[in-house]
Amino acid sequence: MKAYLEPDEVERLERAAEFLRDKLLIRLLWRLGCRVSEVLGITVNNIDFKHGTITIEHLKARIKLSCPKCGASLGKLHNFCPVCGLKVEKAVAQEKEHHRYRSLPVDKDTLDLLKEYIKRGGAVSRNGKRIVFSLTRHRAWQIIRECADKAGLPQLVNAESGKEHGVSPHKLRDAFAVHAVKLDDSGDGLRLLQEHLGHQSIVTTMKYRKVSGEEQKEWYDKLWQGGNKNG
């Protein structure tokens, strides 16, 4: 069983798309390596046609705990406030939205497709913004699944759990990351990939070395070199 899609399989997936919208969805998920929520959040204003980039906004809700008396920040295990000393019976939970942005390069062919799609009236106005895709996450998943079935793509296995899954939007992000690791698995390459994918921790990015087989390849290379030195 395979753990990720090869570039030629992604091309088959894209060719299976009947509509320009679906073709563009597949292409952006694969060529940008974005989360599906990030792609669905792209607005026309996020696209810089002159410089060939798309600004991606990653919105994440975070829960912040604070003291009900003085408002000081609390950890989950705090029994007493570290500032005022109050015994904390019940911390005040506040949900805060954390915005992060990153600018990603886009190839000319994809930009041309975006121009054509927008020109045809594909972008939809919502809350004062022109959203490129008027799709829910569930519908985006369905589109990818339907195109995968049409293209005859195989089931994929989760490298960590061993469970089989169909092709999904996140599998296109995985395919981008694995392909990037195969091109450059150096420390600098992995740090650039971390920034591109928007990972907070390099540990999350490092898992793609294992999925791609680069860890195993490195181990065999060292073994071979050691055996060669020993005659």
Side-chain angles (χ1 to χ4, degrees):
M1 290 291 294
K2 297 180 58 177
Y4 58 89
L5 292 171
E6 297 288 355
D8 65 304
E9 291 175 315
V10 180
E11 288 178 10
R12 280 167 53 194
L13 182 69
E14 188 179 320
R15 287 197 299 269
E18 185 178 350
F19 305 106
L20 177 58
R21 178 201 63 186
D22 301 349
K23 181 185 181 76
L24 201 51
L25 175 67
I26 294 167
R27 182 172 281 227
L28 289 175
L29 286 166
W30 154 241
R31 300 203 180 195
L32 295 182
C34 290
R35 303 171 179 91
V36 63
S37 58
E38 293 172 340
V39 169
L40 296 181
I42 295 174
T43 68
V44 174
N45 286 341
N46 291 145
I47 308 167
D48 187 335
F49 288 101
K50 182 178 179 181
H51 296 99
T53 61
I54 291 181
T55 299
I56 297 297
E57 178 181 0
H58 178 45
L59 177 62
K60 201 168 188 178
R62 289 183 176 177
I63 301 297
K64 181 183 177 184
L65 301 177
S66 60
C67 173
K69 181 180 178 181
C70 69
S73 295
L74 299 175
K76 291 181 180 179
L77 301 179
H78 277 149
N79 293 317
F80 294 89
C81 175
V83 176
C84 69
L86 177 75
K87 181 173 174 57
V88 181
E89 298 290 340
K90 189 175 181 181
V92 179
Q94 294 178 322
E95 188 176 49
K96 287 196 169 185
E97 291 184 342
H98 179 67
H99 296 258
R100 284 189 291 155
Y101 300 89
R102 62 192 193 278
S103 183
L104 304 181
V106 193
D107 61 280
K108 185 180 181 302
D109 288 345
T110 302
L111 286 173
D112 288 342
L113 276 181
L114 278 165
K115 283 180 183 177
E116 183 182 349
Y117 176 77
I118 294 167
K119 188 177 179 181
R120 289 186 187 181
V124 176
S125 294
R126 187 187 301 160
N127 299 324
K129 296 180 179 179
R130 293 178 68 199
I131 306 292
V132 173
F133 297 108
S134 180
L135 296 168
T136 62
R137 288 170 61 97
H138 180 67
R139 181 56 190 143
W141 187 94
Q142 284 182 321
I143 290 169
I144 302 302
R145 182 68 260 175
E146 288 165 4
C147 290
D149 289 343
K150 194 173 177 181
L153 296 182
Q155 290 282 99
L156 300 172
V157 64
N158 185 298
E160 295 176 349
S161 69
K163 293 181 179 179
E164 292 182 24
H165 297 277
V167 178
S168 66
H170 198 80
K171 290 300 180 183
L172 291 172
R173 176 173 162 87
D174 288 346
F176 171 90
V178 169
H179 186 59
V181 168
K182 286 188 170 186
L183 292 175
D184 183 1
D185 70 325
S186 67
D188 287 341
L190 288 170
R191 279 188 288 274
L192 285 172
L193 180 59
Q194 178 191 357
E195 291 178 11
H196 188 105
L197 295 175
H199 287 158
Q200 285 191 307
S201 171
I202 189 67
V203 175
T204 308
T205 314
M206 288 289 288
K207 73 177 183 180
Y208 288 111
R209 290 194 82 236
K210 185 176 181 179
V211 175
S212 69
E214 289 302 314
E215 282 188 353
Q216 186 178 18
K217 176 177 173 291
E218 188 177 82
W219 184 82
Y220 275 120
D221 287 345
K222 287 180 179 178
L223 183 67
W224 182 85
Q225 289 170 4
N228 205 30
K229 286 178 182 176
N230 293 329

